[in-house]
Amino acid sequence: METDLQLESTVWVGSKIYRAVLTGWQFNWTELDKKNRDKKTISVPVAEVVGVEEGRVEILPQKLIDDTDKVFTVFYVKRSSTGSSYGLLWTLGRTQFSVPSRVLRDQWTKHLRAALKTHSPVRPNRLLVFINPYGGKKKGRKIYHSLVAPLFELAGISCHVIVTERANQARDHLLKKDLTGFDGVVCVGGDGMFSEILHGLIGQTQQEAGLCENDLTVTLQPCPRHIGIIPAGSTDCVCYATVGVIDPVTSALHIIIGDSQPLDVCSVHQASGLVRYSVSLLGYGFYGDVLAESEKHRWMGPLRYDYSGTMMYLSNRSYAGIVQYLPADPLLSSPRDRTRCLSGCSVCSRSTERLFPHSSDAGSLYSSHYNQFSSDLEGEWVTVEGRFRCVSLTCMSSSCPKSPLGLSPSAHLADGTGDLILVWDTHPLGFLKFLYRHTSTEDQFDLPFVEVHRVKAVRFSLPPGKEEEEYEEIGGLSGGMDEEERGYIETVSRSGSQQHLADRGPGREMTNLQKTGNPFLCGLCCSKAPAVSVWNCDGEILPSIEILSRVHGQLVRLYARGIEDGAAVHCSEDIERGCTLQI
Ligand SMILES: CCCCCCCCCCCCC/C=C/[C@@H](O)[C@H](CO)NC(=O)CCCCCCCCCCCCCCC
Ligand SMILES: Nc1ncnc2c1ncn2[C@@H]1O[C@H](COP(=O)(O)OP(=O)(O)OP(=O)(O)O)[C@@H](O)[C@H]1O
Ligand SMILES: [Ca+2]
């Protein structure tokens, strides 16, 4: 039987006989027994077919073609559970079909390719690829050329590949060069490389739209080009939180089939204008200190975060601050509702309608007219003041291998809000409990010194006088100094000497600061700690402390679909069937 997008015939897979059917959006083949009765059906959505080739074809590790003229090979997405992470691993499924004639083989390849074109209009044809050769374990080039490029070639995607030679090259390229003809931009690297692409694409889109990024009140234009992430970094938090696994082949397959996951982005401003954008972590206090400390130990590789985390934990810091936030509508969702943002999330879908009320579909989001000035900053601000272990804002769960459910397990990727986590100063064991709960399913917000709020914007400022201080006295792990020692403890003006005053006393032992020049280590040996921390903005230290951050709902789109919940799937069956998940 043959119509425009439908075809049905007998086929052989190996020595077994099947009835293969293409019904526009689904391709399936059913094993027949000797009496022509149906046995098992394998079903693949056309949207998840990667490519169709004449003959017997192998792709990975390298392409091998045996052009048998009555055979065609179909490549498609196949799923398996990872065991360790929440999401599902995708691999390239491959089935070789034999048919009675070459004419029928040609009909099958023609129809399958036509179905692919009709049902997958969102697939990329041309991509701009940036490889950071120094990211993570420095395997970016190898990962791309051995695992990803052959898949793109199979899918007929043409790529312009740039191996970067310096930091910010990818960002600058996107800001300066004409991107016409490219459907998306792919980064091969870690969160830092993703951040470059994010800044380049957002900046380029606002330039083209004539919008001023420095103006906090402006509604930014969503980026028309998708971002693909091939994970090859030390921390691949954005990939993990949007795909559920860190696996280059899985990510390449999401790119090929043109999956689309909108993502909220925070813009971070200081008085003079935009500082940076953030998606995963805007953190003051502990996470800022960990990052600042880790920069000095880059040679340790990814382990530097564990080392610095331990050092900063032992330093026992807390910081004074004033946090103001604009709560999101509590009727829409809550950071304590114990739900998770999974593939096809209904909270995010409803947000699309709320954020883009005049668009009937995602494609028209970019051509619709916006109110240039947003009403998102209107509402009742709440103010809290005190000492905090950390103040963190995240637009998404920020799940990562260190914390499989993330900083805020019920946060949403694309709901136009962020979660503000306030950890008040507390006993060291309490803070350890808070940190430790990130590694399990125990609720890290169910602690008396922790608050979480779903917000649209956050402002952070220092209490009057604090902006003048660099160091202050702490009780901490090294408390209990006598009066004589206290005499040496003063605060130092930010504009004054960087030297720790306790180091100036006569006949005093060398402190860690003197030995290492590192003010962060002082908390281990004496009662001095910096009065202020720094902001960690997706792995970059911000130049300012007093900031205002605002969430821009669905500002960018990734080639991803959110986390497919392995627990909701009968995996063995799905591995065989390679079918879409019903969550
Ligand atoms: C007791 C075990 C506690 C484990 C606690 C794990 C919490 C992990 C939360 C990770 C959140 C990552 C958010 C994503 C941030 C990225 O945009 C950014 C750029 O890649 N990464 C970092 O800034 C890198 C930030 C890395 C932060 C790592 C913190 C490690 C803490 C270790 C504390 C050990 C205490 C031991 C006491 C004896
Ligand atoms: N050719 C290059 N040389 C040096 N730095 C580069 C180059 N290309 C990109 N970078 C920078 O390297 C930084 C880290 O890259 P990436 O995120 O890919 O790896 P990573 O190992 O996960 O990073 P991090 O160590 O910061 O977690 C990025 O901020 C990026 O700007
Ligand atoms: Ca969000």
Side-chain angles (χ1 to χ4, degrees), residues 508-524:
R508 205 160 282 274
E509 287 286 320
M510 284 234 298
T511 65
N512 274 333
L513 177 66
Q514 283 171 310
K515 288 178 203 155
T516 64
N518 177 359
F520 287 101
L521 286 184
C522 274
L524 297 176

Side-chain angles (χ1 to χ4, degrees), residues 297-360:
H297 309 288
R298 285 201 81 89
W299 58 271
M300 287 186 188
L303 263 185
R304 68 188 183 277
Y305 292 122
D306 300 303
Y307 171 79
S308 310
T310 307
M311 295 311 283
M312 286 304 108
Y313 170 75
L314 294 173
S315 296
N316 200 32
R317 305 273 165 79
S318 65
Y319 298 96
I322 302 171
V323 181
Q324 292 169 288
Y325 59 90
L326 190 57
D329 184 349
L331 297 176
L332 299 175
S333 62
S334 148
R336 302 288 310 271
D337 62 16
R338 290 297 227 165
T339 60
R340 291 200 69 211
C341 178
L342 297 172
S343 201
C345 170
S346 60
V347 172
C348 292
S349 306
R350 282 197 295 274
S351 303
T352 308
E353 291 155 26
R354 198 182 68 251
L355 292 162
F356 306 101
H358 307 301
S359 334
S360 51

Side-chain angles (χ1 to χ4, degrees), residues 85-97:
S85 47
Y86 254 81
L88 292 174
L89 214 52
W90 285 14
T91 55
L92 185 68
R94 187 200 57 161
T95 303
Q96 291 165 348
F97 298 91

Side-chain angles (χ1 to χ4, degrees), residues 117-286:
K117 274 214 166 70
T118 311
H119 294 281
S120 311
V122 288
R123 289 185 183 212
N125 290 312
R126 186 155 167 72
L127 294 170
L128 179 56
V129 179
F130 291 100
I131 303 176
N132 176 1
Y134 303 114
K137 296 188 181 133
K138 303 186 174 59
K139 292 199 174 140
R141 254 189 292 214
K142 185 158 185 250
I143 288 174
Y144 180 75
H145 290 294
S146 65
L147 296 175
V148 178
L151 294 176
F152 285 173
E153 194 192 326
L154 169 69
I157 298 173
S158 77
C159 296
H160 179 70
V161 180
I162 298 176
V163 179
T164 60
E165 288 168 2
R166 61 170 176 89
N168 291 324
Q169 180 183 342
R171 184 201 63 189
D172 296 346
H173 185 104
L174 297 172
L175 286 171
K176 285 184 199 135
K177 297 275 161 73
D178 182 8
L179 302 180
T180 312
F182 290 109
D183 302 305
V185 179
V186 171
C187 56
V188 183
D191 289 331
M193 203 54 194
F194 168 78
S195 183
E196 276 199 34
I197 307 298
L198 181 81
H199 283 79
L201 281 184
I202 296 176
Q204 191 257 1
T205 307
Q206 311 321 309
Q207 276 172 25
E208 280 191 357
L211 294 172
C212 176
E213 288 175 277
N214 288 322
D215 187 341
L216 177 78
T217 62
V218 163
T219 302
L220 298 177
Q221 181 89 13
C223 300
R225 288 180 184 80
H226 281 68
I227 305 176
I229 308 173
I230 301 294
S234 315
T235 338
D236 300 296
C237 171
V238 184
C239 176
Y240 194 95
T242 55
V243 177
V245 292
I246 294 178
D247 176 60
V249 169
T250 303
S251 292
L253 292 169
H254 281 284
I255 295 170
I256 287 169
I257 70 167
D259 263 342
S260 185
Q261 173 63 56
L263 195 64
D264 297 336
V265 177
C266 289
S267 60
V268 186
H269 302 256
Q270 61 185 22
S272 57
L274 177 77
V275 189
R276 277 189 84 82
Y277 294 104
S278 157
V279 295
S280 53
L281 169 64
L282 182 61
Y284 184 79
F286 181 71

